[in-house]
Amino acid sequence: MSTSEGAGAPGGTLELRLGPVAHGGHMVARHEGRVVFVRHGIPGELVRAQLTDAAPEAKFWRADVVEVIEPSPHRREHVWKAADSLVAHARGGLPVGGAEFGHIALAEQRRLKAEVVREQLARLAGVDEGPGHDVEVEAVSLLPGTDDDGGGLAWRTRCSFAVTAGGRLAMHAHRSDALVAVEHMPLAVPEINALRLWDLDLHGIERIEVAAPASGTAPLAVFTLGEGVAPSRLTEVLAGLDSAVSASAVGPGAGRAPLTVRGRGSVTEHVLGHHYTVTGDGFWQIHRRAPETLVGAAMEALDGVLSPGSQVADLYAGAGLFTAPLASAVGPSGHVLSVEGAPGTSRDARRTFKRQPEVAVVQGKVERVLRRHGGAGAFDAVVLDPPRAGAGREVVRQLIDIAPRAVAYVACDPASFARDLGWFKGAGWRLESLRAFDLYPMTHHVETVALLTAPR
């Protein structure tokens, strides 16, 4: 491939033919025998890519597409200009992170994600047939009972924003401390965009977390003040917001305080007849239909395993998304151990389940809690919903020793899931089923729900 001046150093450019998709949202290319992971491209394209990470001794380099010489038939205009690499680099800046697949037709996005899931399972877990080998990524509609996925937009109910030195709403560029000022975010639900946070003078504010319940109730915005900033500054910011948003959303007649300082305020989420309390900085699935989609898939996977009186565990339970349906399935004569490491999110779960004696909410590291509450035969079934790093070797080893009949593994990262699955398989466990859901359209992320069964 030909190179342009400066190639081999950050900021230099290379002309590259893009190969297959790789885990993490990159396309794989090669330059003089070296692998280059390229973002914002599509397999098969001929592009000019600007190097963003190119240490001479590095085993691989990273780059962003800045010009498309031969486009893929699956390329389209990016859904969000702030995240468009071509536009950003033409202006001498960087694209905002969080929509790295926004230039790819939606059906092709899902095909690429399925390809990544299959490749990770084959390489890390030896899955070359059956569940996982033939996986397809399922679209998720925005409203129950419809096929409308919104074109992959308006699904995000949680957003985190930073603030530029000039006091403007911002988000980070990928793998960078650089801040990109943003306005309308097309991935966010209308309730978040309706706040028009980009119209505010945010001097003195360090960060803003926004949660918009899928039920449509008033959104909660949690502001973090910069160090040494007087609380009166927040009052000034909220006064500006009052003028930008209807009184029914944030005015004194709303009956609640949807805009608050970190540590106060919560929202109520409703999922398939269950109700949850979630504070502004607590964890909750961000796609508006993710909670019911994942609960439905996990409970369907465990159908026939759960019954009144069953002993089950919900590990990495968050605010208790799976704890509630598990408690309903096992009834008052059963028991649910709900384990979450984050203190704030665990407090959310305790508030939700404080009147349900069959639920024990325990805050702490999963491996430590299992040492106290585990043991062979302790659980009939387990829901395992770890963070992106996966459950890890120690937790997998403990579950193998406990030997529940089944584990419903909910994964947001195909690589860590495949690694964990490999350890389960090495102990004789079986992968009985696997479903994948497009709960993060316009990004490379994909969610899977797998049923693993112990050897008998």
Side-chain angles (χ1 to χ4, degrees):
M1 291 295 174
S2 62
T3 64
S4 66
E5 63 180 76
T13 60
L14 299 172
E15 185 177 298
L16 299 168
R17 176 71 68 179
L18 302 183
V21 64
H23 175 56
H26 316 279
M27 310 304 152
V28 180
R30 293 186 179 275
H31 169 69
E32 297 179 351
R34 190 193 306 266
V35 169
V36 185
F37 290 114
V38 184
R39 292 175 78 80
H40 311 291
I42 305 175
E45 289 188 324
L46 181 63
V47 303
R48 190 170 299 282
Q50 181 171 306
L51 295 168
T52 57
D53 188 353
E57 69 282 2
K59 292 182 179 179
F60 60 85
W61 289 344
R62 299 178 186 274
D64 285 352
V65 172
V66 296
E67 180 186 353
V68 180
I69 301 169
E70 294 179 11
S72 163
H74 303 293
R75 179 172 284 272
R76 65 176 183 185
E77 183 177 357
H78 204 290
V79 298
W80 188 16
K81 284 190 176 181
D84 187 337
S85 179
L86 305 183
V87 172
H89 283 279
R91 294 174 176 174
L94 294 171
V96 68
E100 64 276 6
F101 275 11
H103 62 287
I104 307 174
L106 202 50
E108 181 66 4
Q109 291 183 36
R110 293 173 182 147
R111 191 193 69 78
L112 293 175
K113 293 179 188 186
E115 186 175 318
V116 168
V117 173
R118 289 191 293 267
E119 189 272 335
Q120 294 294 303
L121 289 173
R123 185 168 61 86
L124 298 176
V127 175
D128 53 11
E129 62 179 1
H133 183 66
D134 55 0
V135 68
E136 294 184 2
V137 175
E138 303 175 34
V140 178
S141 65
L142 292 181
L143 295 172
T146 74
D147 295 326
D148 182 12
D149 61 8
L153 306 177
W155 52 266
R156 188 166 186 146
T157 64
R158 264 77 178 163
C159 290
S160 297
F161 297 103
V163 177
T164 68
R168 311 311 303 173
L169 191 72
M171 297 180 73
H172 282 92
H174 176 66
R175 292 174 57 88
S176 172
D177 292 331
L179 292 176
V180 181
V182 297
E183 293 192 357
H184 177 84
M185 185 186 184
L187 306 191
V189 295
E191 293 86 349
I192 290 178
N193 282 312
L195 294 176
R196 298 185 65 84
L197 295 171
W198 55 83
D199 284 343
L200 303 181
D201 176 0
L202 296 170
H203 280 98
I205 304 299
E206 186 175 278
R207 190 156 193 83
I208 307 172
E209 312 283 341
V210 186
S215 62
T217 55
L220 171 71
V222 181
F223 292 76
T224 300
L225 292 170
E227 186 175 354
V229 176
S232 59
R233 177 63 192 130
L234 180 63
T235 302
E236 296 170 357
V237 171
L238 298 191
L241 187 59
D242 282 343
S243 66
V245 190
S246 67
S248 62
V250 300
R256 60 170 65 83
L259 298 135
T260 185
V261 183
R262 178 173 294 280
R264 287 185 257 152
S266 62
V267 296
T268 300
E269 295 284 0
H270 309 279
V271 182
L272 299 176
H274 303 288
H275 307 286
Y276 307 80
T277 298
V278 186
T279 50
D281 55 356
F283 174 78
W284 191 252
Q285 292 286 343
I286 61 175
H287 189 291
R288 67 187 309 156
R289 293 288 312 287
E292 62 193 275
T293 299
L294 296 175
V295 165
M299 297 305 288
E300 179 182 343
L302 294 175
D303 185 41
V305 179
L306 302 175
S307 60
S310 292
Q311 308 290 301
V312 299
D314 182 9
L315 306 181
Y316 308 97
L321 173 61
F322 298 100
T323 301
L326 289 171
S328 293
V330 305
S333 61
H335 181 72
V336 181
L337 176 65
S338 182
V339 185
E340 168 57 36
T345 305
S346 187
R347 283 194 295 271
D348 289 346
R350 283 198 294 274
R351 280 193 290 269
T352 295
F353 302 107
K354 61 185 176 182
R355 293 185 176 86
Q356 292 183 249
E358 71 273 22
V359 175
V361 177
V362 179
Q363 187 266 315
K365 290 188 175 181
V366 167
E367 55 269 32
R368 293 179 183 175
V369 176
L370 286 180
R371 290 191 197 111
R372 298 196 305 269
H373 299 273
F379 308 118
D380 300 301
V382 170
V383 171
L384 188 62
D385 184 15
R388 196 147 287 148
R393 186 185 293 274
E394 177 60 18
V395 171
V396 171
R397 184 195 64 78
Q398 289 175 305
L399 291 176
I400 289 170
D401 291 343
I402 293 169
R405 291 175 58 193
V407 170
Y409 193 133
V410 182
C412 59
D413 185 278
S416 59
F417 166 65
R419 178 206 64 203
D420 290 350
L421 175 60
W423 291 328
F424 276 110
K425 287 184 62 186
W429 286 58
R430 288 175 51 85
L431 174 62
E432 301 288 354
S433 65
L434 179 71
R435 296 179 68 185
F437 300 98
D438 193 18
L439 293 175
Y440 311 95
M442 309 303 158
T443 80
H444 72 276
H445 298 291
V446 60
E447 197 92 12
T448 57
V449 179
L451 176 63
L452 314 180
T453 56
R456 296 297 178 187

